[in-house]
Amino acid sequence: MGIEEKLPSGVLLTGVEKLVGFMRKSSVWPATFGLACCAIEMMAFGGPRHDSARFGMEVFRASPRQADLMIVAGRVSQKMAPVLRQIYDQMPEPKWVIAMGVCASTGGMFNNYAIVQGVDHIVPVDIYLPGCPPRPEMLMDAILKLHDKIQHTPLGVNRREADAERERAAMEAVPAQAMKGLLQ
């Protein structure tokens, strides 16, 4: 006989972490950082056909202080890298980053001195979205995966413990250079 049986019907029981996770995932406000052709697909995602409002993202924020998701769409030049980092630093915690397109993820076909070979050299990336350019449907899928990640992010001491565990696992991982054969 638990507490569920003592409460009247219609009362919802949940943990604080689950409730906060649900509220956070349902109110993600993106900051646009459209740098190239991927930005056109990101704009299409905000349009009526793909309707970003059903994900709680009605308005793309122009101010980083009002946003908690940065969608880096397109190639990042060496000159733009400090600006990208400054905008990321101005965003309030918790904050998330989606690298949209192959140029933002790895530098793409621009393997030269002027283009950053992956935005993860500048800011920590949560979701990598491949494609050249990725379709708005792919961006919707990436946002749904990010929502799942946000909803299951622990809070407080639990978050610090989870971060420490992830860091420990990353330090114990075998580097790709040390792997032999077919990258087992």
Side-chain angles (χ1 to χ4, degrees):
M1 189 130 110
I3 192 169
E4 298 90 10
E5 296 170 3
K6 300 279 185 196
L7 294 172
S9 64
V11 174
L12 178 69
L13 294 177
T14 186
V16 173
E17 279 188 351
K18 290 182 181 178
L19 183 63
V20 170
F22 176 77
M23 289 187 293
R24 279 185 179 168
K25 86 165 184 103
S26 300
S27 63
V28 175
W29 288 4
T32 58
F33 208 81
L35 299 169
C37 45
C38 292
I40 303 299
E41 301 296 326
M42 182 177 60
M43 289 180 229
F45 167 71
R49 182 173 190 162
H50 301 287
D51 191 21
S52 60
R54 49 186 167 153
F55 303 111
M57 323 170 81
E58 290 87 26
V59 180
F60 280 82
R61 298 292 166 184
S63 169
R65 293 180 189 357
Q66 298 174 351
D68 51 8
L69 168 64
M70 176 185 281
I71 302 174
V72 181
R75 59 189 178 269
V76 179
S77 67
Q78 295 289 349
K79 280 184 160 183
M80 189 55 75
V83 176
L84 176 77
R85 183 62 199 203
Q86 181 181 11
I87 290 173
Y88 177 80
D89 290 339
Q90 290 175 353
M91 292 170 59
E93 288 288 339
K95 50 191 166 187
W96 300 279
V97 177
I98 293 178
M100 182 176 177
V102 72
C103 294
S105 299
T106 63
M109 65 198 87
F110 303 102
N111 189 10
N112 61 32
Y113 65 92
I115 303 298
V116 175
Q117 299 300 305
V119 76
D120 54 354
H121 292 287
I122 305 162
V123 295
V125 175
D126 295 294
I127 302 285
Y128 293 93
L129 179 57
C132 184
R135 298 279 307 138
E137 294 85 3
M138 294 172 70
L139 180 57
M140 288 187 336
D141 182 59
I143 287 171
L144 289 174
K145 288 177 182 170
L146 183 66
H147 280 183
D148 187 53
K149 183 176 182 176
I150 291 170
Q151 188 167 7
H152 295 100
T153 300
L155 299 174
V157 176
N158 297 338
R159 183 174 187 171
R160 285 191 289 273
E161 289 173 1
D163 289 345
E165 177 63 28
R166 258 194 320 274
E167 183 70 24
R168 187 191 60 72
M171 295 304 286
E172 292 176 357
V174 177
Q177 295 88 355
M179 294 181 183
K180 303 291 183 208
L182 297 172
L183 295 178
Q184 304 169 9

